[in-house]
Every structure is written in structure tokens, then in C-alpha cells.
Amino acid sequence: MRQETKCIEAGYTPKNGESRMIPIVQSTTFKYDTSEDMAKLFDLEASGYFYTRLQNPTNDYVAAKIAALEGGTAAMLTSSGQAASFFSVFNIANAGDHVIASSTIYGGTFNLFNVTMRKMGIDFTFVSPDCTDEELEAAFKPNTKLVFGETIANPALKIFDIERFANVAHKHGVPLIIDNTFATPINCRPFEWGADIVIHSTTKYLDGHDATVGGCIVDSGKFDWMAHKDKFPGLTTPDESYHGITYAEKFGNEGAFITKCTAQLMRDLGSIQAPMNAYLLNLGIESLAVRVERHCSNALKVAKYLESHEKVSWVNYPGLESSENYELAQKYMKNGTCGVVSFGIKGGREKAEEFMKNLKLAMIATHVADAHTCVLHPASSTHRQLTDEELIKGGVAPDLIRFSVGIENVDDIIEDIEQALDKI
Ligand SMILES: Cc1ncc(COP(=O)(O)O)c(C=O)c1O
């Protein structure tokens, strides 16, 4: 199936007489005839459901659809994108370990790594996505367990050179984890460029309608854990909390990562997505391919309009030929990048705020990447916990306006920008 078809058909195939839409299994628990039946599930000897804190059929249908879209072998939904980032890293990096991450990742992920996960004893080195191979090599330590980057950085809109980072990560025997939220599998499939694990904030384009907060982790099934046995003992040695199962042996490269993440982290931390939310997420994904195409064509028109406006000091959109990211965007995302455009207005921060107040259609919201056009000044909102130095290092200029172009008629969006600029 092609991507457009997978958006509709993948993940769930009803049998004769079953519901056409995925069923919402709104149940905390599942019934079994004997204790032995249930014991087999607890021992991971049989597959099935016993408690929705770990797994639920509705979630699994949707996770299977996202796995198909990404070209992965296994996937799980989480309660948020933050939970997906945390689980994906914590599944293989523990206290005493080290992680390399791109310095331009989303501010919430940066804070999760740089503050909260440091408190858990995990060390992080942030490298510029523009760093040289030598600088990247120099960031590795004997205890480095993974490299983490974002296909299109939010809000810096920096394109991550997935292939280059994957090659270096693999040379050091560690996987590359990619946050593919902004590109979506419609525009980029990181596994085709060497990434090993993909995560999403499904809250964004995948849901696409401001309806549900959620996340997803997808495994490519390609990373050979046993070939790096000493680096990943959690996957390659017996798990005493699960009757001595060795995940990489029992579930192979295809299933080890997600099974461990479910059996250990979801069991202990319980950041599961509600089945009702998974159902709504599935509705969003059904129209993902058409929506993403429209987001991208609208955004390109808005970016070109802004570029030609005398009151606009700079525009950053990876789809613009003038963008320093254009070449990488063409390499990884030939059909389009995303619907988010960032720009600055002459007069800086003050004028940016005035402009935003003047907008009538575009609403001020922390959200991004959904059907409605919305706008944000990250330095005074989502990224306010970062110092100016961290902001600039993360590619977020203090005057940056993040404009998330929706799927309304683009002429209405441009007219709104025009009247707001006219007033300043
Ligand atoms: C690229 C990216 N990754 C992760 C997240 C975190 O996702 P969530 O808000 O669903 O927890 C966000 C949220 O804005 C994001 O933009």
C-alpha cells in the first residue's frame, strides 16, 4: 500500500461482520477463563491484553497504522509526545549513561533531557545539527547509548541530516532516535535514511485537529542489540522483573525495544494513551496525507508573501529556495516539509507582539501543526525557561514568530497577515 492508502487502511482489518471503524475498547481490564491463561500473558509467553495501563487493543490498531506509515516493525502509543521522548531514551539509557542530542530539538524535549533526566543521572551532550563529523565524533563517550535528533526542529525549522548522524551513531554501535513530528511519515521516513527508532508527538499533524494529546514510538527493527551486547544490558541480559526474559533473544530485533518499553516502562510509569484518544487520533490520521499536502502548499505561499513584505526582516521556511536548509529539505523531503513558517518583523520583539495582537484569523496558541492557523512568540512562551544563550544555540531568535499555517483558504490567511502588518 502507498502512504495515502495506509492512512486509511493500515493497522486494522475487520473480519466478517465486525465494525468498519476500529472499536473503542473502553475497558481497564480483560477477562480470562483460567489463572494459567493469565499467567502466560504476564510471563509474555502469549500475546493478549490484561490491563489497559500497559496495552489496549484500540491503541494497538493505531500504533500498527503508524508503524506501517513509518515502515517499522513494532510501535506503541503513549499519553503524550513528551512521554514518547522520555520512554524512547530511558528504555536504553539509565543512570550513569550518556546521550548525544541535537541542540535544536523542541524546547520541552530539551528541558526533559537537560533538567529532568539529568536529575535521574543521565548525562547529555548537545551538538549543533551543523557540527562537523569531527565535532560529532568528539561528543561520543564510552557510555554513550544513543543519538537523538528532530527531522524538522520546532521552532528553529532546522533540517537534521539523518543519514550523516545515523552513520556516525552506527560507527559507535548506538542507535539514532528521530522525532519525526513535524515532517510526518508523509513527507519523510527516517528509517529509509538509517534512523533506528522514530518518535512522534501525535498531538500535532497526526491528530491534526487540536483534539488529543498523544505520542508514539516506532521501532525500525533494524538495530542489532545483540551485536552490542555490553552496551544494552537491559535488552540483552535477563530481566529479573519479567521472569528472566532476555528481550533481544525472545523478541528479536523486530520486537525487543517495544516489548521492553511496554513490559517495563509502561507497566511501571503508566503513561498510556486513553483508548478514546487513540480512536480520535485514528480519525486524524485517515486524512493525514491530504492535510499535509495542503499545509505545505499553504505554508509555501505564506512564506513567499512574507519574504516579499517590506516590514518583515527575515523568513525561515525550509521550502524556500533562499533557506539555508533548502538543500537538506530537498534531500529528505522532496514533496514538502511542514506547515510551520518562522519570521521576524522589523522592530523586533515589541513589533512582533503588536502584530500578533492585530491578527484576527490566526489565533495565539501554544499549539502548532494542526488544521487551524495559529501563531506564537516562543521566547516569551514555550521557550521562556531557556536563557538567551540557550535560545540562540537552539536556533530560536528572541524576535522569532512561529506561524503555523493551517488548511484554511490561503488567501484568507494572507489577508489576515496583511491587515495585521498594515496596522504596525
Ligand atoms: C517536535 C516535538 N516533539 C515533541 C513534543 C512534545 O509533545 P507533546 O506536547 O505531545 O507532549 C512537541 C510539542 O510541541 C514537539 O513539537
Side-chain angles (χ1 to χ4, degrees), residues 301-302 305-306 309 311-312 343 345 352 354-365 372-376 401-406 408-424:
K301 285 180 192 151
V302 167
Y305 169 80
L306 288 167
H309 202 289
K311 289 186 183 169
V312 174
F343 62 100
I345 289 177
E354 212 182 305
F355 162 76
M356 283 170 59
K357 267 190 216 148
N358 294 338
L359 289 166
K360 289 180 180 161
L361 186 145
M363 63 187 148
I364 299 176
H372 305 92
T373 294
C374 50
V375 62
L376 185 82
I401 295 170
R402 184 182 72 182
F403 200 87
S404 177
V405 182
E408 302 93 340
N409 185 304
V410 70
D411 293 338
D412 288 330
I413 302 170
I414 290 174
E415 279 169 22
D416 189 34
I417 297 173
E418 191 164 37
Q419 65 80 27
L421 283 171
D422 281 350
K423 290 189 190 133
I424 60 169

Side-chain angles (χ1 to χ4, degrees), residues 208-221:
H209 297 84
D210 283 335
T212 60
V213 171
C216 183
I217 308 173
V218 189
D219 185 8
S220 68

Side-chain angles (χ1 to χ4, degrees), residues 80-82 85 106 109 150 154 179 181-182 201 203-204 213-214:
S80 66
Q82 286 296 97
S85 299
Y106 162 65
T109 317
E150 227 167 85
N154 173 16
D179 179 338
T181 298
F182 266 32
S201 164
T203 320
K204 308 295 173 322
V213 171

Side-chain angles (χ1 to χ4, degrees), residues 295-356:
H295 277 292
C296 293
S297 65
N298 276 4
L300 188 59
K301 285 180 192 151
V302 167
K304 284 185 176 162
Y305 169 80
L306 288 167
E307 208 173 31
S308 68
H309 202 289
E310 54 170 20
K311 289 186 183 169
V312 174
S313 48
W314 58 269
V315 183
N316 179 17
Y317 182 64
L320 281 179
E321 279 176 41
S322 60
S323 164
E324 56 172 27
N325 288 293
Y326 185 71
E327 263 176 46
L328 277 182
Q330 288 301 302
K331 172 175 173 179
Y332 291 106
M333 288 159 260
K334 280 199 175 62
N335 298 331
T337 52
C338 65
V340 183
V341 178
S342 63
F343 62 100
I345 289 177
K346 289 177 186 160
R349 224 178 234 254
E350 209 180 292
K351 291 286 174 197
E353 278 167 28
E354 212 182 305
F355 162 76
M356 283 170 59

Side-chain angles (χ1 to χ4, degrees), residues 168-189:
V168 180
H170 294 160
K171 213 172 103 188
H172 289 266
V174 302
L176 174 68
I177 303 184
I178 290 291
D179 179 338
N180 199 30
T181 298
F182 266 32
T184 84
I186 299 303
N187 283 343
C188 181
R189 301 216 307 168

